[in-house]
């Protein structure tokens, strides 16, 4: 999932981002409402964690802008104001969920994952290509029935490629979907990750390089268990 944290308390924003990245999410940070609005206008986030009290554009106004955009982005409001009237007001602005500070981090993760499922089409039970099977729910990969141990980024790349169902996915799209804005677009990060992913998946190879365009997995599809 791609997450945007809009929070003016930088230590808190950094702590949230570190924790969500450990959960395998790609996270960007904005420290004011104007920066958050710019990022949300450029990138399609699955979930925006939004503080209501922000310098620049207010969290309330940013929430209304995100809702008005028509995107599937879900908004989780974070605020020190935890009264019933505050929660009702936040939800009436179009927020999908509301969490008062201080909060337990496991609860934040659970709420973000729940909103993320609503922000994207339901994942199929299994993504497959030949004898390779990826289970998005359990976050496991198997080949010929045996487990394949992948890093979070390798798993993310494979999931994006399999979800494309044979279409070519560019390095730029992989970088945007699996990493975050801190990734340097001029590095070999994607190429190196695809190389290690191929080694772990073994032969015969399923990831094809399309010169000048990106990567694809032929005959990718879905099946139920």
């Amino acid at each position: 999932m791609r997450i945007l944290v809009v929070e003016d308390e930088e230590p808190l924003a950094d702590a949230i981002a570190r924790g969500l990245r450990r959960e395998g999410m790609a996270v960007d940070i904005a420290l004011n409402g104007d920066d958050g609005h710019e990022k949300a206008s450029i990138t399609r986030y699955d979930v925006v964690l939004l503080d209501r009290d922000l310098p620049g554009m207010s969290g309330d106004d940013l929430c209304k802008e995100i809702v008005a955009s028509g995107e599937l982005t879900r908004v989780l409001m974070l605020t020190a104001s935890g009264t019933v009237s505050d929660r009702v007001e936040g939800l009436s602005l179009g927020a999908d969920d509301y969490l008062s500070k201080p909060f337990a981090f496991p609860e934040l993760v659970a709420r973000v994952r729940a909103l993320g499922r609503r922000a994207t089409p339901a994942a199929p039970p299994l993504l497959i290509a030949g004898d390779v099977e990826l289970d998005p729910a359990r976050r496991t990969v198997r080949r010929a029935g045996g487990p394949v141990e992948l890093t979070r980024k390798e798993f993310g790349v494979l999931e994006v490629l399999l979800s494309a169902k044979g279409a070519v996915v560019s390095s730029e799209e992989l970088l945007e979907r699996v990493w975050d804005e801190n990734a340097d677009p001029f590095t070999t990060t994607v190429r190196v990750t695809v190389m290690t992913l191929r080694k772990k998946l073994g032969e015969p190879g399923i990831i094809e390089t399309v010169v000048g365009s990106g990567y694809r997995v032929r005959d990718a599809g879905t099946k139920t268990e």
Side-chain angles (χ1 to χ4, degrees):
M1 283 192 291
R2 187 78 182 265
I3 310 297
L4 175 62
V5 177
V6 190
E7 167 61 61
D8 63 326
E9 295 182 30
E10 189 168 358
L12 177 58
D14 289 339
I16 292 173
R18 286 196 303 272
L20 293 179
R21 286 169 184 150
R22 285 196 295 269
E23 296 294 324
M25 304 178 198
V27 186
D28 297 336
I29 295 174
L31 299 177
N32 59 69
D34 294 329
D35 192 19
H37 181 257
E38 181 179 0
K39 291 179 187 292
S41 299
I42 295 172
T43 302
R44 212 286 283 174
Y45 293 97
D46 296 296
V47 182
V48 174
L49 276 62
L50 179 61
D51 186 15
R52 289 190 71 180
D53 302 314
L54 293 169
M57 177 182 279
S58 71
D60 289 357
D61 287 341
L62 179 51
C63 178
K64 288 187 284 188
E65 288 285 339
I66 293 171
V67 173
S69 73
E71 296 285 355
L72 290 175
T73 301
R74 302 302 179 182
V75 177
L76 171 56
M77 279 192 165
L78 301 175
T79 180
S81 303
T83 65
V84 172
S85 61
D86 286 321
R87 291 197 297 272
V88 170
E89 184 179 1
L91 294 171
S92 69
L93 294 170
D96 298 278
D97 202 354
Y98 197 103
L99 189 58
S100 301
K101 303 175 186 176
F103 49 81
F105 192 75
E107 181 181 4
L108 175 67
V109 172
R111 288 174 182 255
V112 169
R113 290 199 185 282
L115 290 176
R117 288 192 291 270
R118 293 166 54 189
T120 55
L126 292 175
L127 298 172
I128 63 167
D131 60 354
V132 174
E133 295 184 350
L134 182 148
D135 187 327
R138 298 185 178 92
R139 298 193 67 79
T140 59
V141 175
R142 304 182 71 82
R143 179 152 207 181
V148 180
E149 298 297 328
L150 301 179
T151 67
R152 288 193 296 268
K153 299 305 184 188
E154 291 163 354
F155 184 94
V157 167
L158 183 59
E159 184 175 17
V160 171
L161 290 175
L162 291 175
S163 297
K165 297 181 179 179
V168 176
V169 181
S170 68
S171 295
E172 292 77 14
E173 183 176 353
L174 286 171
L175 201 63
E176 180 178 323
R177 296 278 301 279
V178 181
W179 282 264
D180 56 38
E181 65 180 359
N182 295 315
D184 185 346
F186 299 104
T187 66
T188 59
T189 298
V190 172
R191 183 174 63 82
V192 171
T193 301
V194 171
M195 180 179 66
T196 59
L197 175 58
R198 281 171 165 155
K199 288 181 179 178
K200 291 183 179 181
L201 290 174
E203 297 295 336
I206 65 167
I207 301 174
E208 175 184 343
T209 299
V210 181
V211 179
S213 298
Y215 305 93
R216 70 179 168 198
V217 174
R218 290 185 179 276
D219 302 321
T222 62
K223 75 173 186 178
T224 55
E225 293 184 281

